């Protein structure tokens, strides 16, 4: 059995090797991330490894190995009797163009249109507010047992799975203490706490990351996925957002039946109108963002912000097979929003997963 000092030295040599540009096998990456997740290395070594890895640029086998470790050693699971599509809508964060939280209202709208959504999320990493910050303001109990999320998904076709609840040891400890982007920003959104989850819309903070996400999803057997990288018309294409944009074009990487396709769409492909980024830009605080979402859910249905949410809900309906294309998905999403059903989904969510 290897001594503690030997394990420290071996991990240190691995850090130096990664920093020098060498790659790990999927199995070696899983072991490295296992040690980080289970806190088997000093924090200084953990941080050095995470930074060396993201700075060099992780390979697909390495990201798949990191996902293996996170899934095997740190992800609690819920199980439901649902059959058919169960979707997730999530983003990596760390994007340059900060918007009002989009995945949360998009999940509510998609669920209101009849698509079961097991949405996961976390607190902010680099922005104003993460999904968990918004959900907490809405009254969701982030510390509630996962059995309540399971119950909510089965009864109402919607649930929220906070990373703080289903990733209780390694990931939660790391993400709360880090203020820099790491491979966890890539693999964290790929976690599958709901085993019935078989399609996903997963926005990313850069085009290369979109490619990586879809490649890893294919490796781990996800049947269908979209990875959007939204941009602003006339802006720097290197400064984008981790969702479909209504302020400019969106580069999309799609996984379907094991095949990967890359293409570009605009708001007009959905039946919406390209507008100013200011209409969807993040406010100064999480509470301001939550208020903006509630205004849409409670009646501001025909605004640029409402269209932004519906475009992203439409993507979920499309990838799940609930719409034949983005345009039909957008029409369905707008109907679900204007009917008041999306606001009702939030009420149902808080009924079961809310603070008592």
């Amino acid at each position: 059995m290897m001594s503690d000092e030997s394990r420290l030295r071996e991990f240190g040599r691995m850090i130096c090797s990664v920093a020098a540009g060498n790659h790990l096998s999927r199995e070696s990456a899983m072991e490295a991330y296992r040690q980080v997740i289970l806190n088997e290395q000093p924090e200084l070594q953990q941080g050095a490894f995470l930074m060396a890895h993201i700075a060099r640029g992780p390979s697909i086998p390495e990201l798949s190995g990191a996902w293996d470790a996170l899934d095997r050693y740190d992800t609690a699971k819920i199980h439901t009797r649902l059959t058919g599509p169960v979707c997730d809508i999530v983003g990596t964060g760390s994007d340059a163009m900060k918007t009002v939280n989009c995945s949360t209202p998009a999940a509510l709208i998609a669920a209101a249109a009849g698509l079961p959504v097991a949405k996961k999320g976390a607190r902010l990493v680099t922005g104003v507010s993460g999904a968990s910050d918004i959900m907490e303001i809405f009254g969701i109990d982030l510390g509630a047992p996962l059995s309540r999320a399971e119950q909510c998904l089965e009864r109402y076709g919607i649930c929220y799975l906070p990373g703080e609840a289903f990733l209780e040891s390694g990931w939660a400890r790391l993400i709360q203490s880090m203020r820099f982007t790491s491979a966890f920003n890539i693999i964290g959104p790929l976690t599958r706490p709901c085993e019935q989850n078989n399609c996903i819309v997963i926005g990313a903070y850069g085009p290369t990351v979109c490619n990586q996400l879809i490649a890893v999803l294919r490796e781990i057997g996800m049947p269908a996925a979209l990875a959007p990288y939204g941009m602003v018309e006339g802006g720097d294409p290197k400064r984008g957002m981790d969702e479909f944009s209504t302020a400019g074009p969106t580069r999309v990487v799609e996984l379907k039946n094991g095949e990967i396709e890359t293409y570009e769409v605009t708001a007009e492909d959905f039946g919406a109108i390209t507008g100013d980024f200011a209409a969807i830009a993040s406010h100064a605080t999480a509470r301001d963002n939550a208020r903006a979402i509630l205004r849409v859910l409670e009646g501001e249905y025909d605004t640029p912000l409402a269209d932004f949410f519906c475009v992203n809900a439409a993507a979920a309906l499309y990838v799940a097979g609930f719409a034949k294309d983005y345009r039909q998905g957008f029409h369905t999403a707008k109907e679900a929003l204007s009917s008041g059903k999306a606001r009702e989904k939030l009420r149902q969510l808080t009924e079961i997963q809310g603070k008592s």
Side-chain angles (χ1 to χ4, degrees):
M1 185 174 179
M2 189 179 295
S3 68
D4 288 345
E5 179 61 25
S6 296
R7 288 172 64 84
L8 291 174
R9 289 182 179 275
E10 182 181 60
F11 199 86
R13 286 192 293 270
M14 184 268 297
I15 294 170
C16 293
S17 177
V18 169
N22 296 310
H23 288 261
L24 303 171
S25 67
R26 181 170 177 171
E27 293 74 20
S28 296
M30 183 181 76
E31 173 57 21
Y33 275 90
R34 183 194 70 80
Q35 292 187 45
V36 171
I37 288 165
L38 298 182
N39 205 22
E40 292 183 358
Q41 290 289 327
E43 288 191 349
L44 186 59
Q45 296 237 101
Q46 294 178 40
F49 167 66
L50 293 173
M51 179 50 70
H53 195 205
I54 198 69
R56 191 214 64 200
S59 68
I60 299 308
E62 288 171 339
L63 288 172
S64 299
W67 184 89
D68 291 337
L70 197 61
D71 185 66
R72 184 175 302 181
Y73 298 107
D74 204 39
T75 305
K77 306 281 187 177
I78 67 169
H79 310 272
T80 77
R81 293 166 292 184
L82 293 175
T83 58
V86 177
C87 196
D88 186 11
I89 309 173
V90 68
T92 60
S94 296
D95 48 346
M97 304 302 290
K98 305 300 184 186
T99 64
V100 174
N101 297 75
C102 178
S103 62
T104 299
L108 294 168
I109 294 167
L115 172 62
V117 178
K119 180 183 165 35
K120 62 179 178 284
R123 291 194 183 278
L124 70 93
V125 177
T126 60
V128 172
S129 52
S132 284
D133 301 299
I134 296 297
M135 287 293 195
E136 189 172 51
I137 292 168
F138 286 164
I140 300 301
D141 183 357
L142 301 182
L146 289 177
S147 59
R148 283 165 61 181
E150 190 174 278
Q151 178 187 358
C152 196
L153 182 60
E154 286 206 348
R155 182 179 298 180
Y156 292 129
I158 181 75
C159 75
Y160 183 62
L161 297 161
E164 297 82 2
F166 70 83
L167 295 169
E168 294 182 324
S169 55
W171 182 89
R173 171 182 59 84
L174 290 157
I175 212 73
Q176 287 169 11
S177 62
M178 291 192 309
R179 291 299 179 268
F180 63 89
T181 299
S182 74
F184 283 109
N185 290 89
I186 303 172
I187 63 170
L190 294 175
T191 50
R192 194 154 51 186
C194 175
E195 292 192 324
Q196 282 72 34
N197 173 222
N198 50 20
C199 52
I200 186 171
V201 179
I202 179 166
Y205 60 85
T208 299
V209 181
C210 288
N211 298 341
Q212 292 173 321
L213 290 170
I214 292 296
V216 173
L217 285 166
R218 181 166 65 175
E219 284 290 310
I220 65 177
M222 180 64 72
L226 298 172
Y229 171 70
M231 293 168 276
V232 176
E233 190 73 40
D236 183 351
K238 294 180 181 178
R239 293 179 56 80
M241 61 193 80
D242 63 345
E243 56 250 327
F244 283 83
S245 175
T246 53
T250 298
R251 178 184 183 271
V252 185
V253 187
E254 179 174 357
L255 170 65
K256 187 175 183 180
N257 299 324
E259 299 296 322
I260 296 175
E261 180 184 4
T262 303
Y263 53 87
E264 195 170 278
V265 295
T266 65
E268 283 71 19
D269 291 311
F270 290 79
I273 298 172
T274 299
D276 293 334
F277 175 73
I280 62 174
S282 175
H283 296 280
T285 69
R287 289 199 174 276
D288 288 338
N289 282 338
R291 290 189 191 101
I293 293 169
L294 279 177
R295 286 196 297 271
V296 170
L297 295 178
E298 292 176 348
E300 294 186 2
Y301 303 140
D302 295 315
T303 63
L305 188 59
D307 283 356
F308 177 51
F309 297 158
C310 286
V311 159
N312 282 273
L317 295 171
Y318 164 70
V319 78
F322 273 56
K324 66 180 181 181
D325 54 28
Y326 290 128
R327 186 173 291 269
Q328 185 184 61
F330 181 73
H331 178 73
T332 302
K334 289 288 285 186
E335 284 189 339
L337 176 63
S338 61
S339 70
K341 291 179 181 178
R343 180 65 180 89
E344 176 63 11
K345 282 298 168 189
L346 179 57
R347 187 202 65 77
Q348 292 170 346
L349 189 65
T350 55
E351 174 191 317
I352 294 180
Q353 291 192 250
K355 299 172 185 175
S356 54

